Amino acid sequence: MPALKRRSDALYAEGQEYEEDSSCVESVQSALRHDSNKKPRLFREHERYGEEDDSESSADAELEELQATQFREKQRRRPHKDNQPADNGVIESVTCTNFMCHGYLEVAVGPLINFVIGHNGSGKSAVLTAITICLGGKASSTNRAGNLKAFIKEGQDACTLSIRLKNGGDTGYQQDIYGDSIIVERHFNKAGTSGFKLRTFNGKIVSTRKADLEDIADYYGLQLDNPMTVLTQDMARQFLNTSTPSDKFKFFVKGVQLEQLAQDYQLLEENVDYIEMTFKDKQDAIEMLRDKATKAKELFTLVEKHDNIRHKVRRLGTQMAWAQVEEQEQYLKSINDDLYRMGETIKRREDKVVVAGEGFDQADAAFETAQVTVQQLTNDFVLLTTEKDAAKEKFDTVKSEASEVQADQRRVKLSMNAGTARIEKFKKEITTEYRRLEELNGENHARRLTEMDQRKARLNGATEHLDEHIAGLPSLEDNKARAVQVSDGYKVPRRSKEAEIQQCKDYLQNLQKEANHNQGGYPVNMSQLIKAIGQDDSFQEKPVGPIGNHIRLLKPIWSAILEQSFGGTLNSFIVTSKQDQNKLSLIMQRVKCPCPILIGNHGTFDFSNNEPADSFLTTLRAVAIDNPLVLRQLIINQGIEQTILIEDASEASRTMNQGRLRNVKQCYALGKDKGQRFTFGYNDMLNLNPVDIYQKIPRMKTDMEVQVSLQQDTLKRLEGELNEIDRQFREAQNAVECSNRAIARHRKRTVELKTEIQAAQSIVDELQDAIDQDAGQEGKLEQLKEFLKEAISDQDTMESQYEELVVARDTHMTKMKECQVEMTAIDPRLEEVDLKKKKQESIAMNLSNLRHLALQDKNSTIQAVAQAKDDKEKLENERTAKAAMVADFSQQANLVGTRIPIDPGDTSAALEKKLTKLNADVTTYERKLGGNKPKIAEEYARATQAYNDALFQFTGEEKLAQLLKKSLVHRRQRWGLFRRYISARAKVMFSGLLSARAFHGKMILNHKEKLLDLNVQPDETRVRQGRQTKTLSGGEKSFSTICLLLALWEAMGAPIRCLDEFDVFMDSVNRDISMKLLVESARGSVGRQFIFITPQSMGALDREIDVKIIRMHDPERNQTTLTFPRA
């Protein structure tokens, strides 16, 4: 106990000045506190060391009276400002939850003097009880309950206590860890479990061990189990009113911890006695060891005289050792021979590698040449194909021109036929003219004039009708063009819709097929991956996944959109550490099922404030998620709580166009073919993007029947849309046909109208001719003859054109034949090149096979070389190991003896047989001696060492026992000084405190009888006539006991002192005096914290800055008002 010795030396030097300040006693108490064990031990009645006489003499009494007078004068002169708060070791606040009668109570405690006041039943004493329990005290030490469960508030299951300790200044406890405050929490419940938490000033948990709390309590001297530190209500009542001298003495020795130190010294004394008792047994054992060492030495001396036979044994042993070395050397030589042969083998195989490499290079070059030839032939084939295509194109052009010539030929032929008919017509007209001229009838002339007018009117009407009819043709052609455009416009949508229907049918078929298989939508081998994860127990925490298995879709109509939106996230797994991520990645590689891996944690967060209004359906509200890790990842990565879903696209557009909505990031809407996604971009601009419909098997859990039903509805809708497209297409086709028929009818009608006009014109011309004839126009016959001449000339021209067209037609036919011959000539060349190409491709294939065989041969030879090198490396390793073994054997053989020649024919086995025989002879000899020489030498060395060790240990223990005994005597003497100084301090303090009421008295301490009694004289004028406390009045007795308590407190070193309801038995006069005395004494104890419990109002207390009054409010106890009948 070095700390105790240092403090005791300092106290002994200042022992004569203990009345000047209480730091002397407190330093003693601190030494006792830190050097004593907390566990109680047996206390013996008699002290063998340091016992002294405690009887009092008159000189001692006069000295105590003088010291008490000096103490009173010093207390009167001491200013209050000397009482400064301590930097650490005091309580700042106490918090109780569900403790005794309090549901929640928080009390801020002052650093110096505190009065906790309140009505009876308001829970004042609960504060002291909470301090004792929270700082590690036992429930029984509070005298309020036998266990912690009894302190839990009625109707509650658990209780929490918290105390904040001040930890400032330079002497704070581990300030780098805890800071300026230490928060101590204690939790316990009805089940009987209890635990502690030590927190820093900002609430961070440092430890949950009670041992750490005990270290803090020891460091600050918080003696919570000391009855004088926290004087409970019952203990205060007992101490103030019913305590006997023996009880007071017990309070005294426990409070100043003299009893604890005496118990420790008693235990030390018992240990010293035990050590001395063992010395006699150890001396006998040492004698036995000395006899054993002497006998072993005599036997060893006898063995050394018989070494001749051992010399032979050593020589044979040396020969046998080196024989083993020679055998290993022979084996090493065989390995070297094998290495030489292996080197030759490697050379031969390397030559084969060179030959095989050359063969492969030749085969590779031939294969490359064949490949080039194949490529050239392929190019020639492409050129010939192109040339043939060009010839065919030329042939088609000539054929088209020939067709045009034939068409012109037919047209000219028709014109020739018309010319022939015209010539015949002119001839007939000339004949008619001759006949007319002969008739010359006047009545016919008038009739012809009238008919002429009528025919001209009809001709004009027919001409106008024809013009109007022809003007309607462009409109019909435009109608046809529009009908054709509309008809063509339906072809692409029709093919697209048919593809959608087929895709929908396939999806529906997959749904019906996978109705009982929930992994169909995931990648291949997902089931094997899940099984492998379940069988692996090495994960720190099992991975969660795939994510889609933990999501149930509550709104199946959104399945396709959400599946597409989530994408690969539904295939992913969630782990909580990098180690689990690496392990899961290896499993995925093994089962060939790669999936995304996300790293999450179990931290909780509140996202309710990030959701939009309840009127919106969000992705989060449309699904049910059964795992918090999945929920956290989808909120973080997908923002499902801020994604709204609106079925109608128009309504979604109107909603999003209102401006940026609160807690809305994006919106999905349903469409006929695709979904729509609305997002806000730069400057809050609304962006619209299409969303492809997910057509695979859904991965999220849902009602499969509903999914099938929705898909069937989709199929019906698509089929209905296709039927509508077909109907519209048929209508467009009918419109095209109708347009074609209308154009055909128009053209036919045009021909008919032209024919009618021509016929009418002919009649008009005939009538005009007749009228002209009737009018006597001469020269018509000549005119007709001229017309006939012109018609004959035109006919000759037509015939000439016809002949030219016939020649042109023959020319084009010749060109067509030439083109046909050119195309026919290309075909044999094309077939020849194709045949060569196929033949060369076959050659290239054979060369490729040869190249492959050459490559295999090359690889096999290279592999043979590598194998030979591996074998050589193994032999080299074996040689190295064998060489090391030879070296080791040689080293061990050298330990046996230097190398000596071995007779021819001797082997290690033969030498071992000889050595065995000699060893048997030696064993027989040694059996007579009781062992061999090494064994006897070992026994001799061991016996000698044991004797020396025992002697050394005994000498050391003997010295240690003497030192312990000397130290114990010294410590007993110091303990006597401590007791004397503390007792004197308490007596002086007691006499000084009594003077507050002009009392005179003294404290009588008898350490032998273990008694502490008080002798008090209320009348200061009668100083020599003291009275026992039992003869005093109730108020005088309480005041005297308060003085005793304060005197004992001054002898203690605890920083915190608590007293519960000390004034319940005092009248108002004694209460005021006692209160004033308590405050003055507390102020005299600089830096100490006092907590007083009283039911009084404390209105008359002189309040200063160092006094804090804490008023307790009546707690709720679920009481009701009693109803009494009215009088």
Side-chain angles (χ1 to χ4, degrees), residues 566-591:
F566 288 143
T569 303
L570 297 179
N571 300 337
S572 61
F573 287 75
I574 304 175
V575 297
T576 56
S577 65
K578 184 67 176 178
Q579 180 180 356
D580 286 352
Q581 182 188 28
N582 296 334
K583 187 180 298 296
L584 181 57
S585 178
L586 294 176
I587 294 177
M588 289 180 176
Q589 294 176 8
R590 188 176 73 247
V591 302

mmCIF file of all heavy atoms in Angstrom, residues 566-591:
data_model
loop_
_atom_site.group_PDB
_atom_site.id
_atom_site.type_symbol
_atom_site.label_atom_id
_atom_site.label_comp_id
_atom_site.label_asym_id
_atom_site.label_seq_id
_atom_site.Cartn_x
_atom_site.Cartn_y
_atom_site.Cartn_z
ATOM 1 N N PHE A 566 -38.404 -0.822 -61.995
ATOM 2 C CA PHE A 566 -37.418 -1.376 -61.068
ATOM 3 C C PHE A 566 -36.248 -2.023 -61.803
ATOM 4 O O PHE A 566 -35.109 -1.952 -61.369
ATOM 5 C CB PHE A 566 -38.071 -2.399 -60.137
ATOM 6 C CG PHE A 566 -38.968 -1.785 -59.102
ATOM 7 C CD1 PHE A 566 -40.142 -2.404 -58.715
ATOM 8 C CD2 PHE A 566 -38.634 -0.585 -58.516
ATOM 9 C CE1 PHE A 566 -40.971 -1.833 -57.765
ATOM 10 C CE2 PHE A 566 -39.450 -0.007 -57.568
ATOM 11 C CZ PHE A 566 -40.615 -0.624 -57.193
ATOM 12 N N GLY A 567 -36.541 -2.664 -62.942
ATOM 13 C CA GLY A 567 -35.480 -3.254 -63.748
ATOM 14 C C GLY A 567 -34.706 -4.320 -62.993
ATOM 15 O O GLY A 567 -35.259 -5.181 -62.303
ATOM 16 N N GLY A 568 -33.372 -4.241 -63.124
ATOM 17 C CA GLY A 568 -32.508 -5.249 -62.509
ATOM 18 C C GLY A 568 -32.461 -5.191 -61.000
ATOM 19 O O GLY A 568 -31.919 -6.105 -60.367
ATOM 20 N N THR A 569 -33.032 -4.126 -60.394
ATOM 21 C CA THR A 569 -33.026 -4.034 -58.929
ATOM 22 C C THR A 569 -33.767 -5.213 -58.304
ATOM 23 O O THR A 569 -33.403 -5.683 -57.218
ATOM 24 C CB THR A 569 -33.660 -2.706 -58.482
ATOM 25 O OG1 THR A 569 -32.943 -1.633 -59.086
ATOM 26 C CG2 THR A 569 -33.594 -2.553 -56.969
ATOM 27 N N LEU A 570 -34.818 -5.700 -58.967
ATOM 28 C CA LEU A 570 -35.595 -6.820 -58.411
ATOM 29 C C LEU A 570 -34.781 -8.111 -58.380
ATOM 30 O O LEU A 570 -35.117 -9.034 -57.643
ATOM 31 C CB LEU A 570 -36.875 -7.025 -59.224
ATOM 32 C CG LEU A 570 -37.875 -5.867 -59.210
ATOM 33 C CD1 LEU A 570 -39.077 -6.193 -60.073
ATOM 34 C CD2 LEU A 570 -38.321 -5.551 -57.796
ATOM 35 N N ASN A 571 -33.708 -8.192 -59.185
ATOM 36 C CA ASN A 571 -32.863 -9.397 -59.180
ATOM 37 C C ASN A 571 -31.748 -9.316 -58.151
ATOM 38 O O ASN A 571 -30.997 -10.262 -57.973
ATOM 39 C CB ASN A 571 -32.234 -9.598 -60.564
ATOM 40 C CG ASN A 571 -33.267 -9.778 -61.644
ATOM 41 O OD1 ASN A 571 -34.396 -10.174 -61.368
ATOM 42 N ND2 ASN A 571 -32.904 -9.478 -62.884
ATOM 43 N N SER A 572 -31.597 -8.179 -57.498
ATOM 44 C CA SER A 572 -30.432 -7.946 -56.647
ATOM 45 C C SER A 572 -30.620 -8.546 -55.256
ATOM 46 O O SER A 572 -31.731 -8.864 -54.831
ATOM 47 C CB SER A 572 -30.156 -6.446 -56.530
ATOM 48 O OG SER A 572 -31.267 -5.789 -55.949
ATOM 49 N N PHE A 573 -29.476 -8.669 -54.541
ATOM 50 C CA PHE A 573 -29.422 -9.154 -53.164
ATOM 51 C C PHE A 573 -28.821 -8.053 -52.283
ATOM 52 O O PHE A 573 -28.041 -7.217 -52.754
ATOM 53 C CB PHE A 573 -28.570 -10.420 -53.054
ATOM 54 C CG PHE A 573 -29.220 -11.649 -53.619
ATOM 55 C CD1 PHE A 573 -29.299 -11.839 -54.984
ATOM 56 C CD2 PHE A 573 -29.777 -12.613 -52.789
ATOM 57 C CE1 PHE A 573 -29.902 -12.968 -55.517
ATOM 58 C CE2 PHE A 573 -30.385 -13.737 -53.303
ATOM 59 C CZ PHE A 573 -30.454 -13.919 -54.666
ATOM 60 N N ILE A 574 -29.178 -8.083 -50.990
ATOM 61 C CA ILE A 574 -28.706 -7.079 -50.042
ATOM 62 C C ILE A 574 -27.890 -7.781 -48.958
ATOM 63 O O ILE A 574 -28.339 -8.774 -48.371
ATOM 64 C CB ILE A 574 -29.871 -6.306 -49.400
ATOM 65 C CG1 ILE A 574 -30.755 -5.673 -50.490
ATOM 66 C CG2 ILE A 574 -29.359 -5.238 -48.455
ATOM 67 C CD1 ILE A 574 -31.997 -5.005 -49.931
ATOM 68 N N VAL A 575 -26.689 -7.266 -48.701
ATOM 69 C CA VAL A 575 -25.842 -7.748 -47.607
ATOM 70 C C VAL A 575 -25.526 -6.558 -46.706
ATOM 71 O O VAL A 575 -25.791 -5.408 -47.053
ATOM 72 C CB VAL A 575 -24.549 -8.397 -48.140
ATOM 73 C CG1 VAL A 575 -24.850 -9.609 -48.976
ATOM 74 C CG2 VAL A 575 -23.741 -7.391 -48.970
ATOM 75 N N THR A 576 -24.942 -6.858 -45.534
ATOM 76 C CA THR A 576 -24.671 -5.793 -44.562
ATOM 77 C C THR A 576 -23.186 -5.571 -44.334
ATOM 78 O O THR A 576 -22.818 -4.788 -43.478
ATOM 79 C CB THR A 576 -25.349 -6.122 -43.225
ATOM 80 O OG1 THR A 576 -24.894 -7.415 -42.773
ATOM 81 C CG2 THR A 576 -26.861 -6.157 -43.374
ATOM 82 N N SER A 577 -22.315 -6.240 -45.100
ATOM 83 C CA SER A 577 -20.882 -6.041 -44.905
ATOM 84 C C SER A 577 -20.164 -6.359 -46.201
ATOM 85 O O SER A 577 -20.670 -7.076 -47.065
ATOM 86 C CB SER A 577 -20.342 -6.934 -43.774
ATOM 87 O OG SER A 577 -20.448 -8.297 -44.111
ATOM 88 N N LYS A 578 -18.944 -5.802 -46.335
ATOM 89 C CA LYS A 578 -18.120 -6.059 -47.516
ATOM 90 C C LYS A 578 -17.701 -7.523 -47.565
ATOM 91 O O LYS A 578 -17.623 -8.114 -48.655
ATOM 92 C CB LYS A 578 -16.882 -5.150 -47.456
ATOM 93 C CG LYS A 578 -15.992 -5.247 -48.680
ATOM 94 C CD LYS A 578 -16.675 -4.708 -49.910
ATOM 95 C CE LYS A 578 -15.735 -4.719 -51.113
ATOM 96 N NZ LYS A 578 -16.414 -4.237 -52.336
ATOM 97 N N GLN A 579 -17.460 -8.135 -46.414
ATOM 98 C CA GLN A 579 -17.066 -9.547 -46.384
ATOM 99 C C GLN A 579 -18.181 -10.425 -46.947
ATOM 100 O O GLN A 579 -17.932 -11.307 -47.765
ATOM 101 C CB GLN A 579 -16.726 -9.954 -44.956
ATOM 102 C CG GLN A 579 -16.293 -11.411 -44.809
ATOM 103 C CD GLN A 579 -15.972 -11.763 -43.363
ATOM 104 O OE1 GLN A 579 -15.996 -10.902 -42.491
ATOM 105 N NE2 GLN A 579 -15.687 -13.023 -43.105
ATOM 106 N N ASP A 580 -19.440 -10.166 -46.529
ATOM 107 C CA ASP A 580 -20.566 -10.939 -47.071
ATOM 108 C C ASP A 580 -20.744 -10.676 -48.561
ATOM 109 O O ASP A 580 -21.140 -11.570 -49.318
ATOM 110 C CB ASP A 580 -21.851 -10.583 -46.315
ATOM 111 C CG ASP A 580 -21.880 -11.193 -44.914
ATOM 112 O OD1 ASP A 580 -20.975 -11.997 -44.611
ATOM 113 O OD2 ASP A 580 -22.777 -10.849 -44.126
ATOM 114 N N GLN A 581 -20.433 -9.466 -49.025
ATOM 115 C CA GLN A 581 -20.558 -9.160 -50.455
ATOM 116 C C GLN A 581 -19.573 -10.005 -51.261
ATOM 117 O O GLN A 581 -19.941 -10.582 -52.295
ATOM 118 C CB GLN A 581 -20.305 -7.675 -50.688
ATOM 119 C CG GLN A 581 -20.458 -7.258 -52.152
ATOM 120 C CD GLN A 581 -20.016 -5.841 -52.401
ATOM 121 O OE1 GLN A 581 -19.153 -5.343 -51.692
ATOM 122 N NE2 GLN A 581 -20.597 -5.181 -53.385
ATOM 123 N N ASN A 582 -18.327 -10.098 -50.797
ATOM 124 C CA ASN A 582 -17.342 -10.911 -51.513
ATOM 125 C C ASN A 582 -17.735 -12.386 -51.497
ATOM 126 O O ASN A 582 -17.601 -13.083 -52.511
ATOM 127 C CB ASN A 582 -15.965 -10.722 -50.871
ATOM 128 C CG ASN A 582 -15.465 -9.289 -50.992
ATOM 129 O OD1 ASN A 582 -15.858 -8.569 -51.910
ATOM 130 N ND2 ASN A 582 -14.616 -8.868 -50.070
ATOM 131 N N LYS A 583 -18.214 -12.886 -50.361
ATOM 132 C CA LYS A 583 -18.607 -14.297 -50.263
ATOM 133 C C LYS A 583 -19.787 -14.582 -51.205
ATOM 134 O O LYS A 583 -19.799 -15.586 -51.927
ATOM 135 C CB LYS A 583 -18.974 -14.614 -48.813
ATOM 136 C CG LYS A 583 -19.237 -16.106 -48.550
ATOM 137 C CD LYS A 583 -19.597 -16.336 -47.096
ATOM 138 C CE LYS A 583 -18.468 -15.927 -46.174
ATOM 139 N NZ LYS A 583 -17.279 -16.753 -46.382
ATOM 140 N N LEU A 584 -20.787 -13.690 -51.251
ATOM 141 C CA LEU A 584 -21.949 -13.886 -52.126
ATOM 142 C C LEU A 584 -21.540 -13.812 -53.584
ATOM 143 O O LEU A 584 -22.073 -14.552 -54.422
ATOM 144 C CB LEU A 584 -23.013 -12.830 -51.807
ATOM 145 C CG LEU A 584 -24.308 -12.910 -52.632
ATOM 146 C CD1 LEU A 584 -24.968 -14.273 -52.482
ATOM 147 C CD2 LEU A 584 -25.271 -11.807 -52.200
ATOM 148 N N SER A 585 -20.581 -12.942 -53.926
ATOM 149 C CA SER A 585 -20.119 -12.848 -55.306
ATOM 150 C C SER A 585 -19.475 -14.156 -55.747
ATOM 151 O O SER A 585 -19.694 -14.612 -56.877
ATOM 152 C CB SER A 585 -19.133 -11.684 -55.434
ATOM 153 O OG SER A 585 -18.637 -11.608 -56.748
ATOM 154 N N LEU A 586 -18.711 -14.790 -54.865
ATOM 155 C CA LEU A 586 -18.103 -16.086 -55.201
ATOM 156 C C LEU A 586 -19.165 -17.152 -55.416
ATOM 157 O O LEU A 586 -19.065 -17.975 -56.342
ATOM 158 C CB LEU A 586 -17.134 -16.506 -54.088
ATOM 159 C CG LEU A 586 -15.883 -15.630 -53.913
ATOM 160 C CD1 LEU A 586 -15.067 -16.099 -52.721
ATOM 161 C CD2 LEU A 586 -15.037 -15.643 -55.176
ATOM 162 N N ILE A 587 -20.212 -17.155 -54.587
ATOM 163 C CA ILE A 587 -21.298 -18.130 -54.756
ATOM 164 C C ILE A 587 -21.991 -17.908 -56.088
ATOM 165 O O ILE A 587 -22.316 -18.865 -56.816
ATOM 166 C CB ILE A 587 -22.286 -18.028 -53.578
ATOM 167 C CG1 ILE A 587 -21.599 -18.469 -52.272
ATOM 168 C CG2 ILE A 587 -23.507 -18.893 -53.827
ATOM 169 C CD1 ILE A 587 -22.478 -18.324 -51.052
ATOM 170 N N MET A 588 -22.226 -16.655 -56.459
ATOM 171 C CA MET A 588 -22.875 -16.358 -57.747
ATOM 172 C C MET A 588 -22.025 -16.846 -58.915
ATOM 173 O O MET A 588 -22.553 -17.380 -59.897
ATOM 174 C CB MET A 588 -23.125 -14.855 -57.859
ATOM 175 C CG MET A 588 -24.213 -14.319 -56.946
ATOM 176 S SD MET A 588 -24.433 -12.534 -57.165
ATOM 177 C CE MET A 588 -25.823 -12.235 -56.061
ATOM 178 N N GLN A 589 -20.712 -16.659 -58.803
ATOM 179 C CA GLN A 589 -19.840 -17.155 -59.867
ATOM 180 C C GLN A 589 -19.884 -18.674 -59.935
ATOM 181 O O GLN A 589 -19.842 -19.251 -61.027
ATOM 182 C CB GLN A 589 -18.413 -16.666 -59.625
ATOM 183 C CG GLN A 589 -18.249 -15.152 -59.746
ATOM 184 C CD GLN A 589 -16.848 -14.694 -59.418
ATOM 185 O OE1 GLN A 589 -15.952 -15.513 -59.244
ATOM 186 N NE2 GLN A 589 -16.652 -13.387 -59.313
ATOM 187 N N ARG A 590 -19.973 -19.318 -58.769
ATOM 188 C CA ARG A 590 -19.972 -20.783 -58.756
ATOM 189 C C ARG A 590 -21.237 -21.357 -59.387
ATOM 190 O O ARG A 590 -21.174 -22.306 -60.163
ATOM 191 C CB ARG A 590 -19.820 -21.286 -57.323
ATOM 192 C CG ARG A 590 -19.615 -22.795 -57.249
ATOM 193 C CD ARG A 590 -19.361 -23.288 -55.847
ATOM 194 N NE ARG A 590 -20.538 -23.265 -55.022
ATOM 195 C CZ ARG A 590 -20.723 -22.480 -53.983
ATOM 196 N NH1 ARG A 590 -19.765 -21.637 -53.623
ATOM 197 N NH2 ARG A 590 -21.840 -22.513 -53.264
ATOM 198 N N VAL A 591 -22.383 -20.784 -59.097
ATOM 199 C CA VAL A 591 -23.647 -21.315 -59.647
ATOM 200 C C VAL A 591 -24.002 -20.659 -60.967
ATOM 201 O O VAL A 591 -25.051 -20.949 -61.537
ATOM 202 C CB VAL A 591 -24.794 -21.122 -58.636
ATOM 203 C CG1 VAL A 591 -24.475 -21.807 -57.333
ATOM 204 C CG2 VAL A 591 -25.076 -19.640 -58.389
#
